[in-house]
Amino acid sequence: MSHRYSIPFIFLLCAAGIGLGMQSPKTSEENSEFRWLDSSSDTAGVKYATHQLRPLSVQFVAGAPVKIEREEKKLDPQTTRVTSRTFSTAINGERQLMETVVEDIKKAPSGAMSAVRTTSRPDINGRMSVARKETQEVVSSGADTYRITKTLLLPGINSALVEKEHIQQIEKRKGDTFVEIDRTRYELGLDRKWNVLDRRVSQNRLGEEQIQTDEQVFRYDVNNQLSLAQQLKINEWKDAAGQRHLQSDSFAPGLDGKLQLNSRLTMVQRPLGNQRHET
């Protein structure tokens, strides 16, 4: 059985804003649905929901409006294929395929999950070619502990896919209101060995109305030593009016080596009714 969805976009694609509210798993409960690990910013749980709000991510789309068609198909009892196709409309009215994303998601009876996501775009000859491929595995590695591994492959010589980045994230729940996340990102060096790019360690205290996160970011310094390069303090809470707030403070070492406030991000999400929110 397959399901198709058609989503029109006019000027921009936005990961947060005015739209349908997404239901997150309850605090510290295991998430049974597959979720891709996002390594673009601070740590976020894959198996354990550690954030209700995420920073806005806006991508402006130049040119003609685009339309996304999404199809979901069951390949077997354990595997689901999700295909998303992005189309644009040329000046002459002809519809053109801009991008195809195919995700094969497998859930084993043991609870382990794996997925492959392949993104294809037109090459210089107009033929659809693989632009990137991602693989991810989620497995239990102990009591209330999960290991998530994600690998990025990009075209290399003769368009052959080559591993470029590897991420490992360990999520451990301690009690009902505490989750620790340890994420390390690697890149493949010229010697074909994986080298550490950075490491993020966060402690997440989860409550029904408030979430507090302390995160430390380690990178290599001029002495080639992995040292503290950034610290984040993130607070999320819900007020009496039902609005959700986020404040993220970023600290970086100053000339004296002491951590100093470097930037502050604030967000407010207001409920609009009918599961819609404004951020």
Side-chain angles (χ1 to χ4, degrees), residues 177-213:
T177 61
F178 187 89
V179 174
E180 183 178 80
I181 297 178
D182 189 337
R183 187 178 81 198
T184 305
R185 192 161 57 104
Y186 306 84
E187 68 173 353
L188 197 63
L190 296 177
D191 56 358
R192 306 302 298 169
K193 294 182 180 180
W194 291 107
N195 301 314
V196 175
L197 277 174
D198 56 48
R199 181 186 178 194
R200 289 176 174 264
V201 181
S202 69
Q203 290 80 38
N204 305 271
R205 295 165 179 83
L206 314 175
E208 290 295 332
E209 304 297 335
Q210 185 175 22
I211 300 173
Q212 294 179 311
T213 298

Side-chain angles (χ1 to χ4, degrees), residues 94-106:
E94 182 180 353
R95 195 168 76 154
Q96 299 176 332
L97 181 61
M98 297 171 56
E99 181 181 83
T100 299
V101 179
V102 179
E103 300 174 82
D104 287 340
I105 302 169
K106 184 175 182 178

Side-chain angles (χ1 to χ4, degrees), residues 19-231:
L20 291 175
M22 295 182 64
Q23 298 295 322
S24 299
K26 292 182 179 180
T27 301
S28 77
E29 287 187 355
E30 293 184 10
N31 176 32
S32 60
E33 298 300 318
F34 180 84
R35 181 185 300 166
W36 284 100
L37 188 155
D38 180 10
S39 62
S40 61
S41 60
D42 54 278
T43 59
V46 172
K47 285 296 293 184
Y48 298 112
T50 54
H51 294 288
Q52 297 291 331
L53 293 179
R54 298 294 290 161
L56 290 169
S57 176
V58 179
Q59 175 187 358
F60 288 93
V61 180
V66 300
K67 184 177 183 180
I68 297 178
E69 293 182 354
R70 187 174 183 273
E71 181 180 0
E72 188 174 310
K73 183 179 181 181
K74 202 77 171 175
L75 300 183
D76 58 50
Q78 298 180 13
T79 309
T80 301
R81 172 169 290 174
V82 180
T83 304
S84 301
R85 298 180 180 89
T86 302
F87 297 89
S88 67
T89 304
I91 298 177
N92 61 4
E94 182 180 353
R95 195 168 76 154
Q96 299 176 332
L97 181 61
M98 297 171 56
E99 181 181 83
T100 299
V101 179
V102 179
E103 300 174 82
D104 287 340
I105 302 169
K106 184 175 182 178
K107 299 179 182 179
S110 64
M113 293 184 283
S114 62
V116 178
R117 178 165 61 187
T118 306
T119 302
S120 301
R121 301 187 184 102
D123 59 19
I124 57 175
N125 298 313
R127 294 190 295 265
M128 297 299 290
S129 300
V130 175
R132 63 186 288 141
K133 184 176 182 179
E134 298 155 280
T135 64
Q136 181 170 305
E137 291 185 346
V138 181
V139 297
S140 174
S141 58
D144 292 331
T145 304
Y146 288 88
R147 182 178 68 251
I148 298 96
T149 54
K150 182 180 179 183
T151 302
L152 169 66
L153 300 92
L154 297 175
I157 300 175
N158 298 323
S159 298
L161 291 175
V162 179
E163 292 183 338
K164 290 293 185 180
E165 185 180 79
H166 181 75
I167 302 166
Q168 177 173 275
Q169 178 162 301
I170 305 296
E171 300 180 16
K172 184 174 181 61
R173 179 174 62 181
K174 301 178 180 179
D176 294 332
T177 61
F178 187 89
V179 174
E180 183 178 80
I181 297 178
D182 189 337
R183 187 178 81 198
T184 305
R185 192 161 57 104
Y186 306 84
E187 68 173 353
L188 197 63
L190 296 177
D191 56 358
R192 306 302 298 169
K193 294 182 180 180
W194 291 107
N195 301 314
V196 175
L197 277 174
D198 56 48
R199 181 186 178 194
R200 289 176 174 264
V201 181
S202 69
Q203 290 80 38
N204 305 271
R205 295 165 179 83
L206 314 175
E208 290 295 332
E209 304 297 335
Q210 185 175 22
I211 300 173
Q212 294 179 311
T213 298
D214 291 322
E215 180 167 328
Q216 294 178 314
V217 183
F218 301 90
R219 298 190 181 96
Y220 281 98
D221 56 23
V222 293
N223 299 315
N224 202 33
Q225 297 293 320
L226 204 59
S227 60
L228 181 63
Q230 183 186 19
Q231 186 168 6

